[in-house]
Amino acid sequence: MAAPDATAAEATKQRIFVASQSQLIWWRFRKHRLAVVSGLVVAGFYLVVLGADFLAYADPDASEAQRSLMPPQRVYWLDGWRFGPHVYAVKGVRDPQTFKRVYRADPSQKIPLRFFAEGFEYRFLGLIPTTRHLIGVDPGLDATGTIFLLGTDVQGRDLWSRLMYGTRISLT
C-alpha cells in the first residue's frame, strides 16, 4: 500500500499532465508574489484610466498665467485633533531682486477639501454626464484656482489633473 504523501504527489503529477497551457501559466504566476503585486499595480493604473475624469478635480486644459509654476500644496489631514483635510491658500508675490514670482502658503486661509465634491462637468465612462469628483472644495470656491496637489506648469495648468488625463494616452 502506498503512503499518503506518495498518493498526493501522484495526484499532483496527474493534474499537471492534463492541465492546459494557460492553467500552467496561471499556477506559476500565482506562486510569484512580485508578479502578483506588479499585476495589481498595473490593474490599478488601468482603473485610473477609466476614472481619470472622476480623479481630476480641475479641467486639465484650463490655464491662467498668474498661477505659473506653482509648487505642490501640502494636504493637512487633521484640523486640530479631528479629521478635516485642508490645504492652505497660496499667495504669489514678485521678488523685487529676481523679478520671479514666489509663492508662499498662507496659514490664515484654510481651504477645506471635500470628498465627492462638485466640479467641472464631464461624462463618466464617456456616457453619464456628471460633475462629481473624488476631491474638491466647498461649492462657493473653485477647485481650479485653489487646489494644486502637484503644482502647476508654465501655463498655469494643474499638473495632477493633467497627469490623470495623461494616463489614458500612455496606457492606451
Side-chain angles (χ1 to χ4, degrees):
M1 188 157 162
D5 290 337
T7 308
E10 189 64 34
T12 303
K13 282 183 182 178
Q14 290 298 323
R15 191 174 131 201
I16 290 172
F17 290 141
V18 296
S20 67
Q21 185 69 28
S22 59
Q23 283 178 319
L24 293 172
I25 292 170
W26 176 246
W27 292 338
R28 180 81 183 233
F29 178 77
R30 272 193 350 210
K31 286 183 182 180
H32 199 289
R33 286 186 182 157
L34 184 60
V36 171
V37 169
S38 300
L40 291 173
V41 168
V42 170
F45 287 153
Y46 279 103
L47 287 175
V48 169
V49 167
L50 290 175
D53 297 317
F54 176 68
L55 296 171
Y57 51 80
D59 184 4
D61 296 324
S63 67
E64 185 179 324
Q66 294 297 324
R67 298 182 315 208
S68 177
L69 298 173
M70 288 183 78
Q73 282 179 307
R74 180 177 172 200
V75 175
Y76 296 90
W77 294 100
L78 296 176
D79 190 9
W81 288 100
R82 66 179 179 84
F83 181 73
H86 64 278
V87 295
Y88 291 136
V90 177
K91 301 249 182 191
V93 294
R94 187 91 40 205
D95 184 0
Q97 293 178 344
T98 62
F99 297 111
K100 289 185 179 179
R101 197 164 184 82
V102 179
Y103 298 97
R104 291 189 180 92
D106 182 12
S108 66
Q109 291 183 326
K110 288 182 184 176
I111 301 170
L113 298 180
R114 303 285 179 240
F115 292 103
F116 305 106
E118 299 245 355
F120 69 95
E121 187 172 345
Y122 66 95
R123 291 184 171 274
F124 186 68
L125 300 176
L127 302 171
I128 306 162
T130 184
T131 58
R132 292 285 172 194
H133 298 273
L134 179 63
I135 60 171
V137 292
D138 287 333
L141 299 171
D142 179 22
T144 306
T146 55
I147 308 173
F148 309 103
L149 295 181
L150 291 180
T152 60
D153 63 3
V154 174
Q155 296 179 1
R157 299 175 297 195
D158 182 61
L159 290 178
W160 172 265
S161 299
R162 293 181 66 74
L163 180 67
M164 292 300 108
Y165 275 84
T167 57
R168 287 183 171 173
I169 296 165
S170 298
L171 292 174
T172 310

